[in-house]
Amino acid sequence: MVMRLFCCLLLLCAMPSFAATKLEASVDKNPVLAGEFFMLNISVNDTVNGEQPDTSVLLKDFVVGPTSLSTRTNIINGSINKQTTWSVKLMTRTEGQYTIPSFSVAGLSSEPIDLTVAKRAVNADKNNDIFVKTSLSSSSLYVQEAGVYTLKLYLAKELLDGSLSTPSMEDAQLTQLGKQTESYELVDGKRYLVITREYLIQPQKSGAYTIAAPVFQGRVQQNYRQLEVSALGDDLEIEIKPIPSDYKGAWLPSELVNLDEEWQPNDSTVEVGTPITRTITLTALGVTKEQLPDITMPTIEGIRSYPDQKENNNAVRNGRVVSQQTASYALLPQKPGTYTLPEIKLPWFNTKINRISYATIAERTITVTPNSSSVNTPINAPQNMNDLPLDEANTESNSAGKPMAQTATVINQSPLWLIGVAILGYVLWIITVIFYWFNRSNINTVENVQPSPTSLNQPSLKKLIKVHKTGDIKAFYNELTHYAIQVTREETGAIDKLCQSINNPQLNNAIIQLQAQLYGNKATNSDLGAIIKILESEQTQSSKLQPTVLKDLYN
């Protein structure tokens, strides 16, 4: 047992002890060309887990590519060597002298590296198999004015894989517009695959800025070989102008702003209750859809307005950002008359002439006429003398002199019993006339009492209930209009007057929801059953009150 322990101790002592003792940094090229990728390798002579060098310090002077990690173990004549290496792709945009700083791993530090970057020849990319072109819609923009940055990558070889970085600019937002497109172009007799990307630039501060060009790196296929390639576009200078100090109002810089409207129906004369759709379109060049101000519709007394949801969109046309806002309104005239919709005026800053301009929609006058489909109660003429009131029948009889004379002649020729019957009839007629005049005074007293719209003479709600069961809200509204006209005896604004006479907030809200559902283009659910219940309740209360009133009049 002792011998075994002794052998184990000997083996442990014979095993070499490994510890990181050296950290080195090196580059595969020095000097390098501006716009050319080179490799930075950082190696330590041990296996290191959970640690890696901090390469963020390189971002100040270099374009930093992805970092790869590799480990290696060599055993030669019983001697074991381990190595851990981090490889980083780097590139500089401009020529000059640079210093790659030292790095620290596992308590060790590397030595800094002096790097020389030479200027790239002007014709270095001429007839090259891969190159990048960049362009701007305008070399001068105002603060928050939208510009378009266009990037084109030209490839003459078959692309296996690659990555294209995003252009960058201080104090600005750069956003890619849509997806990249692919096409083919012939350049100096050579066919290229062209990958195009467009970026929206929105500067936030004024001053002179540089847009750093994107960098491409990838692999292409050439004669059964895979080659690593890279390309760098040209940096572009841009001037950002400040907001003029004398400008007032919401800032909207643009080359062109336009307001337009459409009407449906496009008539200047409409009837009460006829819905009108007004669509206002705002178009602006050189701004984003988020910068478009909201267009509001002024309130017009006598016309209800139901706004629809607004739609904002933007697109790129001929290297310019075009944004558009569409807003629709449903207008519902409530009363007849002449209405003037005021002018809509939108201020904006014209970047072409460098001064404030206005986009306008002229005022518009519309005439609202009474509803031609109003329900009028026909007055039927009496068919015979028995339908006339007693005084009118008496007047009619007295005005016919000749028939009375003929009647007298007939009586003189009649028997005595017939004369007695005539005398009795005459007496009864006199009694009837006296009774009629007595009752007429009581009837006039009843007529002097102002009846409410909800009385026993109300039209039936059967048709309204029947339409409600069909679920047709348009037919329900039309029938409700006819009902209101019959109750109020008003041809215009009958529904509003019916609501005023009943004075029920629930009925008012229910009818407003019904009109919004019909003309507002919104997902509004109106309670038709509530409208019927309120009207039935009003009729029931009226029927209970009416006998009491009549009883008091005749007592």
Side-chain angles (χ1 to χ4, degrees):
M1 183 71 181
V2 176
M3 183 61 66
R4 290 182 180 180
L5 291 175
F6 182 72
C7 292
C8 290
L9 290 174
L10 289 177
L11 290 174
L12 291 174
C13 294
M15 291 181 62
S17 60
F18 296 103
T21 59
K22 188 176 182 181
L23 182 66
E24 292 183 342
S26 61
V27 293
D28 63 342
K29 300 175 185 178
N30 194 1
V32 296
L33 295 175
E36 179 184 20
F37 276 96
F38 62 95
M39 191 67 69
L40 169 65
N41 296 313
I42 304 171
S43 300
V44 61
N45 59 344
D46 195 3
T47 301
V48 179
N49 296 322
E51 288 191 57
Q52 66 177 19
D54 182 10
T55 59
S56 61
V57 294
L58 300 171
L59 294 173
K60 180 181 178 181
D61 299 321
F62 300 92
V63 175
V64 181
T67 300
S68 60
L69 173 64
S70 63
T71 58
R72 184 178 60 181
T73 301
N74 295 327
I75 302 176
I76 302 176
N77 297 327
S79 176
I80 301 176
N81 295 319
K82 296 183 178 181
Q83 187 177 42
T84 302
T85 302
W86 294 270
S87 299
V88 186
K89 275 190 174 182
L90 300 178
M91 187 203 69
T92 56
R93 297 178 182 274
T94 57
E95 70 277 6
Q97 294 293 327
Y98 295 86
T99 298
I100 298 177
S102 62
F103 301 95
S104 298
V105 176
L108 302 175
S109 298
S110 65
E111 296 293 331
I113 301 173
D114 294 328
L115 181 69
T116 301
V117 179
K119 185 177 181 179
R120 194 179 187 92
V122 177
N123 60 350
D125 290 331
K126 187 176 182 180
N127 295 327
N128 214 355
D129 291 335
I130 178 171
F131 59 92
V132 175
K133 285 185 178 181
T134 57
S135 62
L136 268 174
S137 59
S138 177
S139 60
S140 177
L141 297 173
Y142 277 89
V143 171
Q144 296 182 4
E145 183 182 1
V148 178
Y149 179 92
T150 304
L151 162 68
K152 290 187 176 183
L153 172 64
Y154 289 77
L155 296 168
K157 301 293 183 181
E158 181 182 354
L159 180 65
L160 297 178
D161 58 59
S163 62
L164 184 62
S165 65
T166 302
S168 60
M169 173 182 167
E170 293 184 3
D171 300 324
Q173 298 177 358
L174 277 81
T175 308
Q176 184 172 340
L177 293 170
K179 297 181 180 180
Q180 67 182 25
T181 60
E182 296 183 2
S183 60
Y184 289 92
E185 291 184 16
L186 291 176
V187 179
D188 296 331
K190 184 180 289 189
R191 183 181 180 86
Y192 287 88
L193 169 65
V194 183
I195 299 175
T196 303
R197 291 182 182 178
E198 291 181 319
Y199 294 87
L200 179 67
I201 299 178
Q202 292 178 277
Q204 304 301 313
K205 294 182 179 180
S206 60
Y209 289 90
T210 299
I211 302 177
V215 179
F216 172 78
Q217 54 180 329
R219 295 181 304 129
V220 297
Q221 184 77 26
Q222 183 177 7
N223 297 331
Y224 304 102
R225 293 187 302 167
Q226 296 181 3
L227 299 178
E228 290 192 0
V229 293
S230 63
L232 174 66
D234 295 329
D235 296 341
L236 299 179
E237 305 295 329
I238 185 171
E239 178 189 4
I240 308 302
K241 301 177 183 179
I243 299 175
S245 58
D246 58 346
Y247 184 85
K248 305 297 181 182
W251 177 242
L252 185 64
S254 176
E255 297 180 14
L256 177 66
V257 176
N258 182 62
L259 275 174
D260 192 17
E261 66 174 350
E262 292 183 1
W263 290 77
Q264 184 63 35
N266 192 22
D267 295 330
S268 58
T269 302
V270 295
E271 295 182 353
V272 170
T274 300
I276 306 171
T277 301
R278 187 186 190 188
T279 303
I280 299 176
T281 302
L282 169 63
T283 305
L285 184 64
V287 296
T288 62
K289 61 182 181 180
E290 291 78 13
Q291 293 176 262
L292 296 177
D294 290 333
I295 305 300
T296 58
M297 182 88 125
T299 302
I300 306 296
E301 183 68 25
I303 299 180
R304 290 181 181 173
S305 175
Y306 302 94
D308 196 2
Q309 292 183 352
K310 297 180 180 180
E311 294 183 1
N312 288 1
N313 298 286
N314 59 244
V316 177
R317 297 288 184 270
N318 299 324
R320 294 289 191 273
V321 179
V322 181
S323 298
Q324 194 171 76
Q325 180 187 104
T326 302
S328 295
Y329 302 86
L331 308 180
L332 189 63
Q334 301 295 306
K335 301 177 182 179
T338 300
Y339 300 90
T340 299
L341 279 69
E343 175 188 55
I344 298 178
K345 195 173 186 179
L346 175 67
W348 59 284
F349 186 79
N350 194 323
T351 58
K352 286 295 185 182
I353 58 178
N354 296 325
R355 69 182 185 186
I356 190 171
S357 298
Y358 296 91
T360 60
I361 293 179
E363 67 177 23
R364 184 185 180 103
T365 301
I366 61 174
T367 302
V368 180
T369 60
N371 196 326
S372 60
S373 61
S374 300
V375 178
N376 296 320
T377 304
I379 301 176
N380 297 323
Q383 300 298 323
N384 50 55
M385 294 292 293
N386 294 330
D387 295 332
L388 290 173
L390 294 179
D391 57 342
E392 295 182 9
N394 187 31
T395 303
E396 187 70 21
S397 299
N398 293 335
S399 64
K402 292 184 179 180
M404 291 295 291
Q406 292 176 359
T407 303
T409 303
V410 172
I411 292 175
N412 291 333
Q413 297 177 355
S414 300
L416 292 176
W417 65 269
L418 188 59
I419 296 174
V421 173
I423 293 173
L424 180 61
Y426 181 75
V427 173
L428 292 176
W429 177 79
I430 293 175
I431 295 174
T432 303
V433 170
I434 295 172
F435 182 77
Y436 168 76
W437 284 104
F438 177 77
N439 285 342
R440 186 176 182 183
S441 60
N442 291 336
I443 293 173
N444 291 335
T445 304
V446 176
E447 290 178 350
N448 289 333
V449 178
Q450 293 293 334
S452 64
T454 55
S455 65
L456 286 177
N457 295 326
Q458 291 256 19
S460 175
L461 289 170
K462 292 182 178 179
K463 290 185 178 180
L464 200 61
I465 296 173
K466 184 178 180 181
V467 173
H468 172 227
K469 294 180 179 180
T470 64
D472 189 345
I473 60 173
K474 180 63 176 178
F476 183 89
Y477 188 77
N478 291 338
E479 186 60 36
L480 179 63
T481 302
H482 296 163
Y483 176 84
I485 292 173
Q486 293 177 15
V487 171
T488 62
R489 303 299 178 184
E490 297 287 347
E491 296 184 357
T492 60
I495 291 182
D496 288 342
K497 293 180 180 178
L498 178 66
C499 293
Q500 292 174 4
S501 63
I502 295 177
N503 193 21
N504 188 315
Q506 295 181 354
L507 178 63
N508 297 340
N509 294 334
I511 291 179
I512 290 175
Q513 289 180 357
L514 173 60
Q515 292 173 337
Q517 184 177 1
L518 281 171
Y519 309 116
N521 295 327
K522 287 186 176 181
T524 303
N525 293 325
S526 55
D527 191 353
L528 306 183
I531 297 175
I532 295 177
K533 288 181 180 179
I534 294 172
L535 296 178
E536 288 178 337
S537 175
E538 290 297 323
Q539 286 193 353
T540 302
Q541 293 179 5
S542 177
S543 63
K544 290 180 180 179
L545 292 175
Q546 186 71 12
T548 304
V549 174
L550 294 176
K551 181 178 180 181
D552 293 339
L553 287 172
Y554 284 102
N555 284 340

